Amino acid sequence: MLSGGSRVSLASGETKTGIAVAAPRRKLVWPRPRLSYTGQLVLMLLPFVAGLLLLGIGPALAGLPLALTHYNLLRPPVFAGLANIQEMLGDQVFRRALFNTLFYIVVAVPLRLAGALLLAVLLAASVRGVVVFRGAVYLPTVIPDVAWALVWLWVLNPFHGPLNQMLGLFGLPGPLWLTGEWSSRVAIVLMLFWQLGEGFIICLAALAGVPRALLDQAAVDGSTAKQTFWRITLPVIAPVLLVLLARDTAASLKATAVPGLIFEPSTGMREGGFFLPNYIYETAFEYLRFGYASAMTWALYGLTALAIWVQFRMVQRWSVSVDGDD
Amino acid sequence: MTGMIRLTRHGSLTDAVRYVLYCLVALPFVLPVWWVIALALRPTGQPLGGDLLPVPWPPATENLGRVFEVVDFARFLANSAFVVAVTVPVTILVASWAGFALAQLPGRWRTRIVVLAIAVAMLPLTAIWLPRFILIRELGLIDNLWALTLDALIATSPFNVLIFLWSFARIPDGIYEAARLDGASAFRIWGGIAMPLARPTIIAVAVLTFAHHWSSFIEPALYLRSTANMTVTLGLTMLQQLDRGDWPVLMAGILIAIGPVVLAFLLSHRAFLHDVRDAGWIGR
């Protein structure tokens, strides 16, 4: 180290005196062994792969054995066999959280995708100023989840809130949103629907990517805009929609945790607005039951994987039947 | 352009009808933000509810000031700024290096690592909470802002690596080859050729990363303990819990908290919304 440093300074001194010996000087300034080009690429990849293993795959796998233990962070884990899984099967709160999560995946996720696609179709034309309107649709997505939930606390306020006022304009009775079971459920679906910007942008890109020739050919053949959309555009972008569906399913498991943490824990919210992530959070970090929380986490994994598999099967069948139509 | 219009069902509509329709579509998405602004700038004495389109005129800034009196909001802003200042550059570095390497490594390797990255990206974050919490506790980073920066090592989201991969894969191989024949190192080609060509991608990833960490809530809630370390999102919940009836101050806090993110997206909207066909990060 020391000798290397002095040699480098010697080398720079040499240049001052004008003794130009380029080749050896270069070797001294770069003392590390020369990596091959591929080696350099691997070096560039290394931080990311290390991150994936240490912060992604590793922790995810480490959670598995915890499910078979009782663990409260204070004492070392105690092996418990299948006790946690048994408890899960008989747990009413778990069942309710599972139902709410399933309800969200089955109702809200497709609704968000349909909304994103509809908005993308409406705003697909590249006319003057369309960017402003696209930006408006994207705006709620930009807003941090917590801030958005707090905004909706106001929107849903039964007495002053604008939503019930709006319903009042149409002569509809405003529910006490976050106090009832089903009204809580609807409120959360509504609130998260507004943040569909990512799907919207990806749908826009997918629509722009539909080959022009296909659409022109359809027009020449006398296809109406509606027919073209259902028979050509939709099947062509189906793979993108599928990826969006799967991604939104995985993402929703995080998004649904926020309202439960922000809204007041009324009975309605406990029943209709309480999702698996909320129960896992509570079990782990409030009751310090890491073993049980880990078991439920694996149930959540299974649920996500199952939901994504079902979506793949359904879209597969649907796109085949669309192809078979013509 | 005509093709694009034919794509929609409203190709035959006149422009006026088109823009009225656009306004109707956009209105519900803008309205909640308008309510935030109107309540935050509401002059004292104006009734709280009762108006669907309140106009805060003359705008009062006292609520904005009170946010900083009720809680130490300046401190929270500084904490969030610190997290972002670390995570954005590190994410860009990790993601662009990995994307650059993947674009040139043999296809077999690329496929494996892309699958791994997608698998991690799809992991429900809930599933990593517990082991991650234990890891951070072991590292002694509980109640330390550095705990919130660890994510930058996986490029905040592995998708950011894929975005860079798509972007770099579009650069013709010949350019890399020529530079290599000149004896340039991988790092030199990355910094001198690839990155300057990927500027829109860099901007998009920077903004997405900034928004992700600025908005992050569950992680700070898990890892941070003391008020002095709180981030903006935690500060907002604190503001709400301190005085549940004071909507204008809460909305003022929300306005301050969302300001930087909205501004970042506005400044970079070209990368996201303009001609999506040209937006490199989408991957076409």
Side-chain angles (χ1 to χ4, degrees):
Chain A
M1 203 43 194
L2 253 175
S3 64
S6 60
R7 256 194 243 163
V8 169
S9 64
L10 194 72
S12 59
E14 273 175 316
T15 38
K16 248 183 210 167
T17 54
I19 307 165
V21 255
R25 199 187 72 203
R26 206 177 187 187
K27 245 183 201 163
L28 290 171
V29 176
W30 303 103
R32 67 190 158 85
R34 277 226 154 214
L35 269 172
S36 71
Y37 191 77
T38 311
Q40 291 169 4
L41 290 181
V42 170
L43 201 64
M44 293 176 107
L45 192 58
L46 216 55
F48 177 61
V49 172
L52 279 184
L53 294 177
L54 288 176
L55 297 169
I57 307 281
L61 290 180
L64 178 61
L66 271 188
L68 303 175
T69 64
H70 293 308
Y71 182 37
N72 64 3
L73 266 191
L74 307 172
R75 288 194 208 130
V78 179
F79 184 73
L82 298 177
N84 287 324
I85 291 156
Q86 249 164 358
E87 182 179 348
M88 200 160 73
L89 294 176
D91 186 346
Q92 288 295 324
V93 183
F94 173 76
R95 226 174 273 178
R96 202 167 49 213
L98 186 69
F99 172 79
N100 286 336
T101 300
L102 271 175
F103 176 82
Y104 188 87
I105 292 177
V106 171
V107 175
V109 169
L111 205 65
R112 275 163 60 94
L113 182 64
L117 181 60
L118 179 70
L119 287 163
V121 168
L122 285 172
L123 295 174
S126 48
V127 294
R128 251 182 105 83
V130 75
V131 181
V132 177
F133 298 96
R134 289 179 188 168
V137 169
Y138 194 67
L139 182 63
T141 310
V142 169
I143 293 176
D145 294 349
V146 176
W148 189 244
L150 290 171
V151 171
W152 275 74
L153 211 51
W154 165 253
V155 172
L156 296 166
N157 185 299
F159 309 109
H160 307 295
L163 185 57
N164 275 2
Q165 276 179 48
M166 237 184 272
L167 290 175
L169 287 182
F170 297 100
L172 294 167
L176 296 171
W177 289 103
L178 297 176
T179 49
E181 181 187 344
W182 277 96
S183 54
S184 290
R185 230 167 249 147
V186 173
I188 288 170
V189 170
L190 213 56
M191 173 192 134
L192 294 175
F193 178 84
W194 254 246
Q195 294 187 309
L196 46 63
E198 271 183 37
F200 166 69
I201 283 194
I202 294 172
C203 283
L204 272 178
L207 288 176
V210 175
R212 189 76 45 85
L214 270 180
L215 301 173
D216 290 344
Q217 184 59 45
V220 169
D221 291 347
S223 161
T224 64
K226 203 170 163 184
Q227 281 170 335
T228 308
F229 178 77
W230 287 105
R231 295 274 176 87
I232 295 171
T233 310
L234 213 49
V236 168
I237 65 171
V240 177
L241 298 183
L242 182 63
V243 171
L244 269 180
L245 210 55
R247 185 166 138 67
D248 208 32
T249 303
S252 72
L253 295 172
K254 184 186 159 209
T256 52
V258 173
L261 293 171
I262 297 293
F263 296 163
E264 268 135 85
S266 64
T267 37
M269 273 299 290
R270 286 298 293 191
E271 279 161 9
F274 194 71
F275 298 89
L276 264 185
N278 294 118
Y279 195 35
I280 294 173
Y281 187 95
E282 198 177 278
T283 308
F285 301 107
E286 281 171 35
Y287 304 134
L288 291 182
R289 300 190 56 204
F290 277 66
Y292 190 35
S294 178
M296 288 194 285
T297 297
W298 282 94
L300 189 72
Y301 266 130
L303 186 69
T304 321
L306 187 73
I308 291 173
W309 181 75
V310 169
Q311 287 162 358
F312 266 84
R313 290 306 300 262
M314 280 173 66
V315 172
Q316 219 172 30
R317 175 172 297 180
W318 167 81
S319 56
V320 166
S321 77
V322 167
D323 285 347
D325 259 3
D326 41 25
Chain B
M1 194 155 149
T2 44
M4 287 295 296
I5 292 169
R6 209 177 297 139
L7 223 161
T8 76
R9 288 191 276 159
H10 301 277
S12 57
L13 294 185
T14 63
D15 272 359
V17 178
R18 176 194 296 280
Y19 286 112
V20 170
L21 180 81
Y22 282 3
C23 284
L24 287 176
V25 166
L27 184 69
F29 291 90
V30 180
L31 216 46
V33 180
W34 178 254
W35 291 329
V36 172
I37 297 171
L39 267 181
L41 303 181
R42 184 184 72 109
T44 18
Q46 197 173 298
L48 209 54
D51 197 350
L52 280 179
L53 268 177
V55 180
W57 200 261
T61 51
E62 59 185 59
N63 289 320
L64 295 173
R66 275 186 53 212
V67 170
F68 293 90
E69 290 163 17
V70 177
V71 293
D72 196 356
F73 214 71
R75 180 75 192 238
F76 304 156
L77 285 169
N79 288 340
S80 283
F82 167 77
V83 173
V84 169
V86 174
T87 50
V88 171
V90 175
T91 296
I92 299 275
L93 192 71
V94 170
S96 65
W97 272 10
F100 180 78
L102 285 176
Q104 292 177 77
L105 282 172
R108 191 159 41 96
W109 279 92
R110 181 163 53 228
T111 318
R112 275 181 201 161
I113 288 170
V114 166
V115 166
L116 198 67
I118 291 178
V120 170
M122 296 295 260
L123 280 180
L125 200 72
T126 338
I128 326 182
W129 280 351
L130 318 175
R132 238 325 150 90
F133 181 79
I134 296 169
L135 177 74
I136 284 175
R137 195 166 158 273
E138 290 300 314
L139 290 173
L141 290 178
I142 294 292
D143 200 22
N144 188 326
L145 284 170
W146 285 98
L148 303 179
T149 64
L150 282 185
D151 251 354
L153 203 58
I154 49 167
T156 296
S157 159
F159 277 120
N160 287 332
V161 171
L162 302 186
I163 291 170
F164 269 108
L165 165 60
W166 288 324
S167 175
F168 288 145
R170 291 191 312 174
I171 299 173
D173 281 341
I175 295 183
Y176 296 138
E177 289 297 322
R180 271 183 70 182
L181 288 178
D182 282 349
S185 71
F187 292 89
R188 176 125 186 78
I189 299 176
W190 165 80
I193 299 172
M195 286 300 264
L197 284 173
R199 194 160 292 151
T201 308
I202 298 173
I203 293 172
V205 170
V207 171
L208 288 174
T209 305
F210 170 75
H212 175 95
H213 287 281
W214 190 266
S215 313
S216 173
F217 169 63
I218 292 174
E219 295 212 309
L222 283 179
Y223 307 143
L224 302 179
R225 293 280 180 273
S226 50
T227 315
N229 277 336
M230 282 189 174
T231 58
V232 165
T233 45
L234 290 179
L236 282 183
T237 59
M238 204 173 155
L239 207 57
Q240 188 243 339
Q241 282 157 7
L242 280 179
D243 193 350
R244 285 173 194 274
D246 202 342
W247 292 104
V249 167
L250 178 62
M251 292 299 161
I254 292 175
L255 190 61
I256 297 167
I258 68 179
V261 195
V262 173
L263 204 67
F265 273 97
L266 278 182
L267 290 177
S268 64
H269 73 273
R270 223 161 259 282
F272 295 93
L273 304 163
H274 217 283
D275 224 329
V276 182
R277 200 181 278 275
D278 292 336
W281 73 282
I282 294 282
R284 44 188 54 263

